[in-house]
């Protein structure tokens, strides 16, 4: 093949892709010959190359792994603290690497920003180039169509003008962009391949922006609610609350809801005994001063109010207990939520009496009880008791009492489910033994020396914990993910190709028809498609009597 023919073929296949071409001058990296501007241009070309974008995308995925395996401060600070207490050697290393705050770390943010810049720098010029291709016409036919990968020819007695008219109508009917180019018809199809490629990369940017918006403007908090109690969406009502750096408390949607009841049913027998079958919370909610509505919240089926989603997270029991002082006066009578520690809802917690209690001498004091509760008792005797079923079939409450200072006046935050006994004294029995007792509903544990009593009432309420989340970028992230998949499918399975049909009168006065095709990549479909086009055109411009012509195949020397 001569240099002229090679250049002719290169021009025919030019701009089948919007990928940037390599500039030979850019390949010659001569450090001393590059100025500061030259180095900046080189760095920009490297950063905006598809290769670097893929590397950064891989690094971003790789950087997300420790965020999934290591407890994060943004998710659960208690788990982070427990991890630090159990791993003295790893903790300082993880802290230096910011592995407890992966998604807000310097290195993760750097990868994130570089990927964003790389995608923008890659997409913008390719988009303009693609628009230019859409506005331009397919290039004219090369001088020698026989050099193209797919080629066929035949002779016909039909006039060349009639052949070209039929060819133009045929390719346009097949949704090719086509026009007359001298003695040939030039057609092109498969623009959706490049469009899909651009849509894929634009969708990645949309997803990155959605992720950033969700991180900066999100709010997320938790609330444990006992049956009959409610919640108002104000900052002081949350048990814990986290938000993005650009979130404002004024953006909290004005609504409230009340937990009417929790329904939990479990498999009664068989290998799946104890497996939840029904797990739902019935609530009554309203927006501001608006009318009340009733809804049911289930796992993975949140209630959405003004863009805020309320998820059902967990469930437990809250035995109703009544504490009386030495004179028999009721100090407190309320349900006490206890935290489950296993799948059968064996629960632990603390009962704290901070105000209103006086001992037998009338002196103010504070009481604390370590509580252990099982909904279905097992473990008779003096051994440890446990629950053998999550349903409320045989509830038992075990209590150990203390009196003294709960430490709540020190100004330090406390876990409401744990009892700080450092400044407390344990109640002792008549023979000096530790005072602890298992109670069934309706039973009472009397405190020694007329200190009062605590009663396990004939009522056990249930509680549910909720996550109240406001994350504005979720919808955009989902739309971006769907668009990315759609664009990726288009860029992988649609082939960009060009077809030329040339019809000229031969020396003997018989019309010679040539058809050739060129695709961006090798594909078995291009010869098949050209064969179908040739058969259709041949029906309108039939083969003249003569020798058998070249079939549709790769070009032969």
């Amino acid at each position: 093949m001569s240099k002229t023919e090679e250049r002719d073929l290169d021009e025919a296949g030019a701009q089948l892709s919007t990928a940037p071409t390599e500039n030979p001058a850019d390949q010659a990296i001569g450090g001393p010959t590059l100025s500061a501007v030259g180095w900046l241009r080189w760095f920009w070309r490297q950063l905006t190359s598809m290769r670097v974008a893929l590397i950064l995308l891989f690094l971003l995925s790789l950087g997300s792994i420790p965020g999934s395996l290591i407890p994060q401060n943004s998710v659960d600070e208690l788990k982070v603290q427990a991890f630090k207490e159990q791993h003295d050697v790893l903790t300082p290393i993880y802290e230096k690497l910011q592995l407890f705050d992966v998604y807000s770390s310097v290195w993760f943010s750097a990868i994130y920003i570089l990927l964003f810049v790389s995608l923008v720098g890659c997409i913008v010029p390719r988009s303009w180039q693609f628009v230019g291709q859409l506005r331009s016409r397919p290039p004219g036919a090369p001088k020698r169509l026989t050099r193209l990968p797919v080629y066929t020819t035949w002779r016909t007695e039909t006039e060349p003008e009639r052949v070209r008219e039929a060819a133009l109508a045929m390719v346009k009917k097949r949704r090719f962009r086509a026009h007359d180019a001298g003695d040939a018809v030039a057609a092109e199809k498969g623009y959706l391949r490049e469009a899909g490629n651009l849509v894929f990369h634009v969708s990645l940017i949309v997803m990155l922006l959605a992720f950033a918006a969700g991180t900066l403007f999100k709010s997320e908090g938790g609330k444990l609610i006992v049956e009959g109690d409610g919640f108002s969406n104000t900052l002081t009502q949350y048990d814990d609350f986290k938000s993005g750096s650009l979130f404002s408390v004024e953006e909290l949607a004005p609504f409230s809801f009340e937990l009417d009841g929790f329904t939990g049913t479990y498999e009664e027998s068989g290998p799946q005994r104890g497996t939840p079958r029904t797990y739902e919370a019935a609530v009554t909610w309203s927006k501001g001063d608006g009318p009340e509505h009733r809804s049911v919240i289930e796992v993975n089926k949140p209630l959405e109010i003004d863009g805020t989603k309320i998820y059902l997270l967990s469930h437990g029991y809250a035995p109703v207990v009544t504490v009386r002082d030495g004179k028999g006066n009721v100090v407190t009578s309320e349900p006490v939520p206890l935290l489950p520690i296993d799948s059968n809802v064996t629960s632990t917690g603390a009962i704290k009496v901070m105000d209103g209690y006086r001992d037998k001498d009338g002196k103010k004091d504070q009481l604390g009880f370590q509580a252990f509760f099982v909904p279905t008792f097992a473990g008779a005797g003096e051994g440890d008791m446990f629950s053998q079923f999550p349903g409320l079939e045989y509830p038992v409450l075990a209590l150990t009492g203390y009196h003294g200072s709960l430490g709540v006046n020190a100004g330090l935050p406390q876990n409401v489910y744990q009892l700080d006994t450092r400044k407390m004294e344990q109640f002792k029995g008549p023979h000096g033994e530790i005072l602890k007792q298992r109670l069934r509903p309706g039973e009472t544990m009397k405190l020694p020396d007329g200190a009062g009593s605590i009663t396990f009432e004939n009522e056990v309420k249930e509680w549910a914990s909720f996550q109240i989340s406001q994350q504005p970028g979720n919808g955009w992230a989902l739309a971006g993910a769907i668009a990315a998949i759609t664009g990726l499918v288009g860029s992988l399975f649609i082939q960009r190709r060009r077809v030329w049909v040339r019809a000229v009168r031969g020396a003997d006065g018989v019309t010679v028809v040539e058809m050739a095709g060129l695709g961006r990549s090798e594909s078995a479909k291009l010869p098949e498609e050209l064969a179908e086009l040739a058969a259709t055109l041949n029906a309108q411009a039939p083969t003249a009597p003569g020798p058998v012509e070249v079939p549709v195949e790769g070009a032969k020397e």
Side-chain angles (χ1 to χ4, degrees):
M1 185 183 295
S2 67
K3 292 183 178 180
T4 303
E5 291 172 340
E6 290 180 357
R7 184 168 57 253
D8 192 29
L9 181 59
D10 290 341
E11 292 175 355
Q15 297 182 349
L16 275 175
S17 170
T18 56
T21 57
E22 295 290 344
N23 188 345
D26 296 337
Q27 305 301 320
I29 304 177
T33 63
L34 288 179
S35 63
V37 176
W39 277 110
L40 287 175
R41 288 177 177 174
W42 177 85
F43 177 77
W44 177 253
R45 290 191 182 98
Q46 299 304 312
L47 180 61
T48 57
S49 66
M50 192 56 60
R51 178 178 62 255
V52 172
L54 291 174
I55 293 174
L56 290 172
L57 187 61
F58 173 75
L59 290 177
L60 193 70
S61 303
L62 199 64
S64 301
I65 295 177
S68 302
L69 301 179
I70 300 173
Q72 299 294 295
N73 284 316
S74 60
V75 178
D76 194 331
E77 293 181 356
L78 293 178
K79 285 187 178 180
V80 173
Q81 188 61 36
F83 183 92
K84 291 180 177 180
E85 293 175 356
Q86 297 173 6
H87 302 83
D88 296 335
V89 177
L90 291 177
T91 294
I93 300 175
Y94 284 5
E95 287 179 339
K96 289 182 179 179
L97 296 177
Q98 298 178 298
L99 295 183
F100 295 117
D101 300 278
V102 168
Y103 302 110
S104 59
S105 63
V106 174
W107 57 268
F108 190 87
S109 300
I111 298 173
Y112 184 91
I113 294 172
L114 285 174
L115 176 59
F116 183 83
V117 173
S118 177
L119 288 173
V120 172
C122 179
I123 290 171
V124 171
R126 293 185 70 166
S127 299
W128 284 116
Q129 185 176 353
F130 182 61
V131 171
Q133 291 180 15
L134 290 177
R135 298 178 62 183
S136 63
R137 287 184 169 188
K143 292 180 180 179
R144 298 191 62 180
L145 293 178
T146 55
R147 297 297 183 182
L148 297 183
V150 185
Y151 172 82
T152 188
T153 182
W154 71 91
R155 291 155 52 88
T156 181
E157 295 178 349
T158 308
E159 294 295 323
E161 294 79 8
R162 297 291 300 276
V163 174
R164 289 195 292 269
E165 289 177 4
L168 184 61
M170 175 187 67
V171 292
K172 284 187 174 180
K173 188 176 181 180
R174 299 285 187 102
R175 297 189 300 276
F176 279 81
R177 293 176 66 235
H179 69 103
D180 283 316
D183 60 358
V185 172
E188 187 170 4
K189 192 178 183 181
Y191 287 91
L192 287 178
R193 179 187 182 96
E194 295 303 322
N197 192 20
L198 292 174
V199 166
F200 172 73
H201 291 91
V202 171
S203 299
L204 291 182
I205 292 180
V206 172
M207 292 171 65
L208 290 175
L209 289 174
F211 178 77
T215 302
L216 296 174
F217 296 97
K218 74 173 183 178
S219 69
E220 183 177 279
K223 181 64 177 180
L224 186 149
I225 304 175
V226 180
E227 291 175 323
D229 290 344
F231 168 82
S232 179
N233 193 30
T234 58
L235 188 59
T236 57
Q237 290 278 296
Y238 285 91
D239 294 334
D240 59 84
F241 184 83
K242 296 181 178 67
S243 64
S245 57
L246 299 181
F247 178 81
S248 172
V249 177
E250 297 176 356
E251 298 176 21
L252 290 173
F255 67 85
S256 60
F257 69 93
E258 181 178 333
L259 178 60
D260 299 326
F262 181 89
T263 302
T265 60
Y266 310 89
E267 188 67 38
E268 296 285 347
S269 59
Q272 294 186 338
R273 173 179 163 81
T275 303
R277 294 303 180 197
T278 305
Y279 209 72
E280 58 187 32
V283 298
T284 300
W285 60 274
S286 62
K287 293 190 293 184
D289 297 329
E292 293 185 344
H293 306 272
R294 286 180 170 80
S295 300
V296 174
I297 306 176
E298 301 178 44
V299 177
N300 297 326
K301 294 182 180 179
L303 170 65
E304 185 170 357
I305 306 174
D306 284 347
T308 300
K309 291 185 177 181
I310 304 170
Y311 295 88
L312 174 62
L313 293 184
S314 58
H315 148 262
Y317 294 105
V320 178
V321 297
T322 299
V323 178
R324 293 178 172 85
D325 62 15
K327 296 182 179 181
N329 299 320
V330 175
V331 179
T332 179
S333 181
E334 60 184 5
V336 180
L338 303 176
L339 295 182
I341 58 174
D342 61 24
S343 59
N344 286 325
V345 202
T346 301
S347 306
T348 63
I351 303 171
K352 301 179 182 181
V353 182
M354 294 176 284
D355 300 310
Y357 172 78
R358 295 178 183 271
D359 61 16
K360 64 178 182 178
D361 299 324
K363 295 182 180 179
K364 291 183 178 181
D365 202 358
Q366 293 180 335
L367 300 180
F369 299 88
Q370 289 180 338
F372 192 84
F373 176 79
V374 292
T376 302
F377 175 79
E382 297 299 326
D384 294 335
M385 68 178 190
F386 59 92
S387 177
Q388 58 183 349
F389 188 72
L392 202 63
E393 295 187 353
Y394 194 86
V396 173
L397 178 64
L399 296 173
T400 302
Y402 297 81
H403 67 98
S405 173
L406 291 169
V408 295
N409 299 325
L412 299 176
Q414 279 193 354
N415 189 327
V416 295
Y417 304 104
Q418 293 180 352
L419 192 64
D420 184 358
T421 61
R422 290 177 296 179
K423 296 183 179 180
M424 304 192 78
E425 182 180 349
Q426 223 169 10
F427 282 113
K428 301 293 182 65
H431 302 291
E433 72 278 8
I434 297 175
L435 181 64
K436 55 183 180 180
Q437 187 174 339
R438 295 174 181 173
L439 304 178
R440 290 276 293 136
E443 294 181 349
T444 299
M445 181 175 78
K446 292 188 176 295
L447 303 179
D449 300 326
S453 64
I454 180 170
T455 302
F456 178 15
E457 302 292 349
N458 289 306
E459 183 180 11
V460 178
K461 291 190 175 184
E462 301 190 47
W463 59 259
S465 67
F466 299 89
Q467 177 180 296
I468 299 95
S469 300
Q470 183 176 340
Q471 198 159 9
N474 285 346
W476 285 103
L478 177 61
I482 295 174
I485 294 173
T486 304
L488 183 61
V489 170
S491 65
L492 292 177
F493 295 101
I494 298 176
Q495 184 186 20
R496 182 98 174 266
R497 64 270 194 201
R498 287 172 178 164
V499 172
W500 292 273
V501 182
R502 174 175 285 146
V504 295
R505 194 179 301 279
D508 56 357
V510 179
T511 301
V512 178
V513 181
E514 291 183 291
M515 295 185 68
L518 178 65
R520 179 178 175 184
S521 58
E522 293 292 335
S523 173
K525 292 184 178 181
L526 183 59
E528 294 175 3
E529 186 174 30
L530 189 68
E532 292 177 3
L533 293 172
T536 302
L537 184 60
N538 185 260
Q540 301 179 58
T543 305
V548 178
E549 302 298 340
V550 180
V552 176
E553 59 182 0
K556 295 181 178 180
E557 298 294 337

